[in-house]
Amino acid sequence: IKYMFPKAHAAAYQIGAIRLAYFKVYHPVEFYAAIFTVRGDDLDGGIVMKGHEAVKRRIKEMRAMESLNKGEEDQLTMLEVANEMLARGVEVLPVDLYKSDWRAYRIEDGKIRLPFCSLSGIGDAAADSLAEVGKTTEYMSIEDMIQKTKVNKSVIEILRECGCLEGMPESSQMSLFM
């Protein structure tokens, strides 16, 4: 008796692999934006924003660990994809209060704009609020942002650490006695 092999399944798998390879080679920006949008929960955008050397350094640190849990393994996989992307010359744009989506990695001028949820510590609800409010209004200050988006101080600290709040005053109040 000959072994039965599901040839249709194998053919479908190969077609999928060829499609992925085609987009990876000929449309790399779109490929990486799609991969990170679908599997980006494990990508730390804060590290990616620091550049290629920071990504390579984090990969080296993680590989040096004795054992990784499932979340760390997934993060390492996504950092390896980000390392490949940066090595191929695909650029990322930092999280922007007015341009970033809450979850999708958007293509902007041939570069990939990081979403709010790519920053470690910013949950879906806060990311969604920041993206939605940022589309319709401009913030006068950090205090104004907190009131409009209802995000907490830890989210503000994450945004501050990533440079998203540079030049924005803490309060909307003006002093009469300067």
PDB file of all heavy atoms in Angstrom, residues 119-135:
ATOM      1  N   LEU A 119       3.794  50.437  21.482  1.00  0.00           N
ATOM      2  CA  LEU A 119       4.566  50.848  22.649  1.00  0.00           C
ATOM      3  C   LEU A 119       4.194  49.973  23.837  1.00  0.00           C
ATOM      4  O   LEU A 119       3.030  49.900  24.228  1.00  0.00           O
ATOM      5  CB  LEU A 119       4.310  52.325  22.966  1.00  0.00           C
ATOM      6  CG  LEU A 119       4.682  53.312  21.859  1.00  0.00           C
ATOM      7  CD1 LEU A 119       4.300  54.725  22.266  1.00  0.00           C
ATOM      8  CD2 LEU A 119       6.161  53.219  21.532  1.00  0.00           C
ATOM      9  N   SER A 120       5.176  49.310  24.375  1.00  0.00           N
ATOM     10  CA  SER A 120       4.962  48.404  25.499  1.00  0.00           C
ATOM     11  C   SER A 120       4.367  49.168  26.676  1.00  0.00           C
ATOM     12  O   SER A 120       4.899  50.197  27.089  1.00  0.00           O
ATOM     13  CB  SER A 120       6.298  47.769  25.893  1.00  0.00           C
ATOM     14  OG  SER A 120       6.110  46.852  26.922  1.00  0.00           O
ATOM     15  N   GLY A 121       3.244  48.685  27.173  1.00  0.00           N
ATOM     16  CA  GLY A 121       2.583  49.324  28.313  1.00  0.00           C
ATOM     17  C   GLY A 121       1.350  50.123  27.940  1.00  0.00           C
ATOM     18  O   GLY A 121       0.612  50.566  28.809  1.00  0.00           O
ATOM     19  N   ILE A 122       1.123  50.337  26.653  1.00  0.00           N
ATOM     20  CA  ILE A 122      -0.081  51.040  26.219  1.00  0.00           C
ATOM     21  C   ILE A 122      -1.075  49.995  25.739  1.00  0.00           C
ATOM     22  O   ILE A 122      -0.839  49.292  24.758  1.00  0.00           O
ATOM     23  CB  ILE A 122       0.210  52.071  25.113  1.00  0.00           C
ATOM     24  CG1 ILE A 122       1.118  53.165  25.657  1.00  0.00           C
ATOM     25  CG2 ILE A 122      -1.095  52.652  24.572  1.00  0.00           C
ATOM     26  CD1 ILE A 122       1.382  54.293  24.703  1.00  0.00           C
ATOM     27  N   GLY A 123      -2.171  49.881  26.446  1.00  0.00           N
ATOM     28  CA  GLY A 123      -3.194  48.894  26.120  1.00  0.00           C
ATOM     29  C   GLY A 123      -4.074  49.328  24.974  1.00  0.00           C
ATOM     30  O   GLY A 123      -3.999  50.462  24.490  1.00  0.00           O
ATOM     31  N   ASP A 124      -4.935  48.424  24.560  1.00  0.00           N
ATOM     32  CA  ASP A 124      -5.814  48.677  23.413  1.00  0.00           C
ATOM     33  C   ASP A 124      -6.745  49.866  23.636  1.00  0.00           C
ATOM     34  O   ASP A 124      -6.948  50.679  22.739  1.00  0.00           O
ATOM     35  CB  ASP A 124      -6.636  47.434  23.084  1.00  0.00           C
ATOM     36  CG  ASP A 124      -5.791  46.323  22.485  1.00  0.00           C
ATOM     37  OD1 ASP A 124      -4.604  46.570  22.156  1.00  0.00           O
ATOM     38  OD2 ASP A 124      -6.312  45.201  22.347  1.00  0.00           O
ATOM     39  N   ALA A 125      -7.329  49.966  24.828  1.00  0.00           N
ATOM     40  CA  ALA A 125      -8.279  51.047  25.097  1.00  0.00           C
ATOM     41  C   ALA A 125      -7.588  52.412  25.041  1.00  0.00           C
ATOM     42  O   ALA A 125      -8.101  53.353  24.417  1.00  0.00           O
ATOM     43  CB  ALA A 125      -8.949  50.853  26.459  1.00  0.00           C
ATOM     44  N   ALA A 126      -6.422  52.521  25.653  1.00  0.00           N
ATOM     45  CA  ALA A 126      -5.674  53.788  25.635  1.00  0.00           C
ATOM     46  C   ALA A 126      -5.214  54.107  24.216  1.00  0.00           C
ATOM     47  O   ALA A 126      -5.306  55.256  23.774  1.00  0.00           O
ATOM     48  CB  ALA A 126      -4.482  53.714  26.585  1.00  0.00           C
ATOM     49  N   ALA A 127      -4.728  53.102  23.487  1.00  0.00           N
ATOM     50  CA  ALA A 127      -4.272  53.309  22.115  1.00  0.00           C
ATOM     51  C   ALA A 127      -5.418  53.784  21.232  1.00  0.00           C
ATOM     52  O   ALA A 127      -5.256  54.712  20.434  1.00  0.00           O
ATOM     53  CB  ALA A 127      -3.666  52.022  21.565  1.00  0.00           C
ATOM     54  N   ASP A 128      -6.578  53.158  21.376  1.00  0.00           N
ATOM     55  CA  ASP A 128      -7.743  53.539  20.593  1.00  0.00           C
ATOM     56  C   ASP A 128      -8.169  54.971  20.904  1.00  0.00           C
ATOM     57  O   ASP A 128      -8.453  55.763  20.003  1.00  0.00           O
ATOM     58  CB  ASP A 128      -8.894  52.564  20.857  1.00  0.00           C
ATOM     59  CG  ASP A 128     -10.086  52.821  19.971  1.00  0.00           C
ATOM     60  OD1 ASP A 128      -9.895  53.102  18.770  1.00  0.00           O
ATOM     61  OD2 ASP A 128     -11.226  52.747  20.472  1.00  0.00           O
ATOM     62  N   SER A 129      -8.186  55.315  22.171  1.00  0.00           N
ATOM     63  CA  SER A 129      -8.571  56.659  22.581  1.00  0.00           C
ATOM     64  C   SER A 129      -7.601  57.700  22.027  1.00  0.00           C
ATOM     65  O   SER A 129      -8.013  58.735  21.498  1.00  0.00           O
ATOM     66  CB  SER A 129      -8.632  56.741  24.110  1.00  0.00           C
ATOM     67  OG  SER A 129      -8.962  58.040  24.522  1.00  0.00           O
ATOM     68  N   LEU A 130      -6.296  57.436  22.133  1.00  0.00           N
ATOM     69  CA  LEU A 130      -5.291  58.376  21.622  1.00  0.00           C
ATOM     70  C   LEU A 130      -5.440  58.576  20.117  1.00  0.00           C
ATOM     71  O   LEU A 130      -5.374  59.704  19.620  1.00  0.00           O
ATOM     72  CB  LEU A 130      -3.889  57.876  21.945  1.00  0.00           C
ATOM     73  CG  LEU A 130      -3.450  57.995  23.398  1.00  0.00           C
ATOM     74  CD1 LEU A 130      -2.240  57.125  23.667  1.00  0.00           C
ATOM     75  CD2 LEU A 130      -3.159  59.454  23.742  1.00  0.00           C
ATOM     76  N   ALA A 131      -5.651  57.492  19.376  1.00  0.00           N
ATOM     77  CA  ALA A 131      -5.777  57.580  17.923  1.00  0.00           C
ATOM     78  C   ALA A 131      -7.043  58.324  17.512  1.00  0.00           C
ATOM     79  O   ALA A 131      -7.013  59.187  16.633  1.00  0.00           O
ATOM     80  CB  ALA A 131      -5.766  56.180  17.308  1.00  0.00           C
ATOM     81  N   GLU A 132      -8.167  58.005  18.147  1.00  0.00           N
ATOM     82  CA  GLU A 132      -9.440  58.630  17.780  1.00  0.00           C
ATOM     83  C   GLU A 132      -9.460  60.115  18.104  1.00  0.00           C
ATOM     84  O   GLU A 132      -9.889  60.930  17.280  1.00  0.00           O
ATOM     85  CB  GLU A 132     -10.611  57.913  18.467  1.00  0.00           C
ATOM     86  CG  GLU A 132     -10.886  56.537  17.911  1.00  0.00           C
ATOM     87  CD  GLU A 132     -11.151  56.527  16.411  1.00  0.00           C
ATOM     88  OE1 GLU A 132     -11.942  57.360  15.930  1.00  0.00           O
ATOM     89  OE2 GLU A 132     -10.521  55.709  15.722  1.00  0.00           O
ATOM     90  N   VAL A 133      -9.023  60.482  19.291  1.00  0.00           N
ATOM     91  CA  VAL A 133      -9.034  61.895  19.678  1.00  0.00           C
ATOM     92  C   VAL A 133      -8.019  62.679  18.842  1.00  0.00           C
ATOM     93  O   VAL A 133      -8.280  63.802  18.422  1.00  0.00           O
ATOM     94  CB  VAL A 133      -8.777  62.060  21.195  1.00  0.00           C
ATOM     95  CG1 VAL A 133      -8.655  63.521  21.571  1.00  0.00           C
ATOM     96  CG2 VAL A 133      -9.902  61.407  21.989  1.00  0.00           C
ATOM     97  N   GLY A 134      -6.852  62.064  18.566  1.00  0.00           N
ATOM     98  CA  GLY A 134      -5.818  62.735  17.782  1.00  0.00           C
ATOM     99  C   GLY A 134      -6.245  63.046  16.354  1.00  0.00           C
ATOM    100  O   GLY A 134      -5.726  63.962  15.736  1.00  0.00           O
ATOM    101  N   LYS A 135      -7.202  62.294  15.830  1.00  0.00           N
ATOM    102  CA  LYS A 135      -7.698  62.532  14.471  1.00  0.00           C
ATOM    103  C   LYS A 135      -8.542  63.799  14.383  1.00  0.00           C
ATOM    104  O   LYS A 135      -8.639  64.422  13.334  1.00  0.00           O
ATOM    105  CB  LYS A 135      -8.565  61.365  13.999  1.00  0.00           C
ATOM    106  CG  LYS A 135      -7.810  60.113  13.679  1.00  0.00           C
ATOM    107  CD  LYS A 135      -8.792  59.020  13.282  1.00  0.00           C
ATOM    108  CE  LYS A 135      -8.111  57.677  13.183  1.00  0.00           C
ATOM    109  NZ  LYS A 135      -9.064  56.594  12.927  1.00  0.00           N
TER     110      LYS A 135
END
